Structure formats: structure tokens, C-alpha cells
């Protein structure tokens, strides 16, 4: 199988379900640390984390997808991702319950998001892959975050950086 026929994915869990992001958007995987809170942000915006001296906005993907929040565990991770939003790129921390692995799937194994005969927000799903007796949902973060939401996060980051420790501000 050639590299053109497969997609490398980082698989992770939210609750009992398995999701994935393409490896190309994942910059690094960090242990969970409590975020520096920024007031008045959306509910799923946890605040800022320090990633090598850069203040990075952190969102709880569970909450963004409408799942109930849970307390972090020793398995909780933050995926630092680069999301292309139109002409700009947004670096973002995504809190997930746990990370499983990096795996390759054949592109012909990827199915479209299921049609359930009703309107539901599935446009953030790039595809679904069958694994054993379960499924892996491939998430498109650019579609999950609207342009307005990205602009709001950028404003929250600017406000948060003004209040963040000096060591977080880029030189």
C-alpha cells in the first residue's frame, strides 16, 4: 500500500467512542494540565495553556460536541493541533479523554458520515472507518469550528494573554 492510498490518523476517545484526527494536523500530544481560565469564553473554551512559551487556547472537545464534562484523569491528554481556517492557521489545544495510537487506514475504507434521515450537525465528520465491532469517526476541526467561533477564540486568547504570566508572552 502506498502513502497515497492511506491516511495516518491519531485515534482518541471521548467517553466510550473512538475518534480520529489526521496526523498532519497534530503538532504534539501533551499530558493534561489545568488551563489558565479566561472569563466570558464559550463553555467549551477552557482557557490557555503554555506550549513552549506560546499561549494556546484549549477547548474541551467533549463539551464542544455536546457531551457532558468530566474530571480529567491520568489518561486525559491535550492534542496540540494546527487548524486551517480560511487564510489563517489556528493553533489549538484539544482536550480528549485518552489517546490510543497512530494508525494507518486505507482511503477506500473511509465511509461518508451516515445519513440518518434527519437534520443533525454532521458536517464536522470527514468520514467513518470500521474497526473490529466498532467505528472510528474522523473529525474535521476546521468544519467543527466556525469562522466566528475561531475569531471569538482569537479574541479570548488576546484577552487571556494580557492577564497571563509574562513567560507565556511571545518575545
Amino acid at each position: 500500500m502506498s502513502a497515497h492510498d492511506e491516511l495516518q490518523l491519531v485515534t482518541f476517545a471521548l467517553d466510550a467512542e473512538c475518534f480520529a484526527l489526521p496526523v498532519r494536523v497534530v503538532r504534539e500530544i501533551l499530558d493534561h494540565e489545568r488551563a489558565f481560565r479566561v472569563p466570558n469564553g464559550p463553555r467549551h473554551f477552557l482557557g490557555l495553556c503554555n506550549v513552549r512559551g506560546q499561549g494556546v487556547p484549549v477547548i474541551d472537545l467533549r463539551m464542544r460536541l455536546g457531551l457532558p464534562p468530566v474530571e480529567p484523569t491520568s489518561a486525559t491528554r491535550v492534542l496540540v493541533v494546527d487548524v486551517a481556517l480560511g487564510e489563517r492557521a489556528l493553533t489549538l489545544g484539544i482536550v480528549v479523554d485518552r489517546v490510543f495510537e497512530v494508525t494507518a487506514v486505507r482511503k477506500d475504507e473511509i465511509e461518508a458520515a451516515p445519513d440518518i434521515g434527519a437534520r443533525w450537525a454532521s458536517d464536522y465528520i470527514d468520514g467513518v472507518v470500521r474497526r473490529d465491532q466498532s467505528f472510528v469517526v474522523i473529525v474535521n476541526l476546521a468544519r467543527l469550528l466556525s469562522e466566528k467561533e475561531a475569531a471569538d477564540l482569537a479574541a479570548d486568547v488576546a484577552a487571556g494573554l494580557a492577564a497571563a504570566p509574562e513567560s507565556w508572552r511571545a518575545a
Side-chain angles (χ1 to χ4, degrees):
M1 176 170 31
S2 78
H4 297 293
D5 299 330
E6 66 182 22
L7 180 63
Q8 297 282 325
L9 299 171
V10 175
T11 59
F12 58 90
L14 296 175
D15 200 23
E17 309 308 325
C18 188
F19 294 86
L21 289 171
V23 166
R24 73 180 181 283
V25 304
V26 179
R27 183 187 297 183
E28 57 189 303
I29 300 170
L30 304 174
D31 290 337
H32 181 269
E33 291 184 10
R34 188 163 187 81
F36 177 84
R37 287 294 294 163
V38 177
N40 301 319
R43 187 168 169 247
H44 60 275
F45 176 51
L46 300 178
L48 300 172
C49 70
N50 183 4
V51 178
R52 302 184 200 307
Q54 178 185 8
V56 173
V58 178
I59 67 168
D60 185 328
L61 191 55
R62 290 177 62 92
M63 292 171 61
R64 178 61 184 87
L65 294 176
L67 296 170
V70 297
E71 286 297 315
T73 69
S74 61
T76 303
R77 296 290 179 265
V78 177
L79 302 176
V80 180
V81 298
D82 293 316
V83 182
L85 295 168
E87 297 292 315
R88 57 180 252 171
L90 175 66
T91 300
L92 191 62
I94 306 288
V95 176
V96 300
D97 293 349
R98 65 191 158 281
V99 172
F100 293 124
E101 65 180 344
V102 173
T103 188
V105 297
R106 289 192 340 254
K107 288 183 179 177
D108 63 358
E109 292 179 313
I110 301 172
E111 302 172 18
D115 181 2
I116 62 170
R119 292 186 60 169
W120 66 296
S122 64
D123 57 337
Y124 70 90
I125 299 174
D126 259 354
V128 178
V129 178
R130 295 176 193 262
R131 288 288 164 164
D132 301 319
Q133 301 299 314
S134 189
F135 296 92
V136 177
V137 175
I138 303 170
V139 177
N140 182 319
L141 291 173
R143 284 193 228 132
L144 183 63
L145 300 171
S146 68
E147 286 290 330
K148 179 183 181 331
E149 185 173 8
D152 290 347
L153 278 175
D156 290 339
V157 169
L161 283 176
E166 183 67 32
S167 62
W168 287 24
R169 297 182 201 137

